[in-house]
Amino acid sequence: TKYLDVLATVMPEDIQFDVDIAEHEVLVLADSMELWHVFEHLCQNSLQALENNPPEHKKILSLGLHQVTLDKPLSSVVVMTHELLPGRYSVLTLTDSGEGISDKDQPHIFEPFFSTKETGSGSGLGLSVVAGVVERMQGAIQLSSQEGEGATFRIYWPLTSVG
């Protein structure tokens, strides 16, 4: 929740911010600073995508955190990292109603220095940092996006029972 408190203080007033967090504890074995970097970079990308919305297009940013149990491997829809084996995972979901990511750009968005922004408008490192953290934590990222329809990132991390 501390991440949500920080985000709430910097959220532009014209953005509808929806939060759906599991009532039960979701525990992952992770460094809190690395989790912050994932959260920060995903939110920055979404907020930048929302900046480009035309005035008549509602700006929505949704964040969710839940547990899921995979009965079979999740591989066909994972954009990067590795196949997720059956088991229990936490899923961080971030959805925006921004400009979306083109089909030609989607395979490259986790590459270092790749950017869809104009030259000088970003380093192209944000999503590569996210990918590195997720990979170190033995997780995976799933992306769903269409141009003009926004984007949804789902990050899967193995759950732990260590408290």
Side-chain angles (χ1 to χ4, degrees), residues 5-163:
D5 294 339
V6 171
L7 183 58
T9 63
V10 298
M11 184 68 61
E13 289 182 15
D14 63 338
I15 294 179
Q16 177 183 325
F17 184 47
D18 299 327
V19 178
D20 181 18
I21 296 190
E23 291 181 18
H24 49 278
E25 238 176 21
V26 178
L27 296 175
V28 296
L29 197 54
D31 177 273
S32 63
M33 284 307 296
E34 285 193 325
L35 288 176
W36 171 249
H37 287 303
V38 167
F39 185 76
E40 178 184 32
H41 289 299
L42 287 175
C43 288
Q44 282 177 350
N45 276 1
S46 288
L47 291 172
Q48 287 172 352
L50 290 169
E51 284 176 5
N52 297 326
N53 277 10
E56 68 277 1
H57 192 167
K58 195 166 190 178
K59 297 178 181 183
I60 303 170
L61 179 63
S62 302
L63 178 77
L65 181 64
H66 296 90
Q67 291 183 21
V68 297
T69 300
L70 298 178
D71 296 330
K72 58 185 178 181
L74 181 64
S75 59
S76 62
V77 292
V78 175
V79 171
M80 55 76 49
T81 65
H82 59 277
E83 176 180 81
L84 287 181
L85 301 175
R88 294 179 50 226
Y89 294 88
S90 69
V91 181
L92 172 66
T93 304
L94 190 75
T95 301
D96 66 63
S97 64
E99 58 196 340
I101 302 165
S102 72
D103 289 342
K104 78 172 184 55
D105 288 341
Q106 287 185 32
H108 305 287
I109 62 168
F110 297 106
E111 295 173 5
F113 306 110
F114 179 81
S115 180
T116 59
K117 299 172 186 79
E118 292 180 23
T119 304
S121 298
S123 66
L125 291 174
L127 290 178
S128 68
V129 167
V130 169
V133 169
V134 171
E135 202 160 25
R136 277 191 299 282
M137 293 173 55
Q138 300 177 345
I141 303 172
Q142 179 182 23
L143 168 65
S144 304
S145 184
Q146 291 183 331
E147 280 187 274
E149 299 289 321
T152 298
F153 289 88
R154 287 181 187 84
I155 300 183
Y156 293 82
W157 284 303
L159 282 174
T160 184
S161 58
V162 177

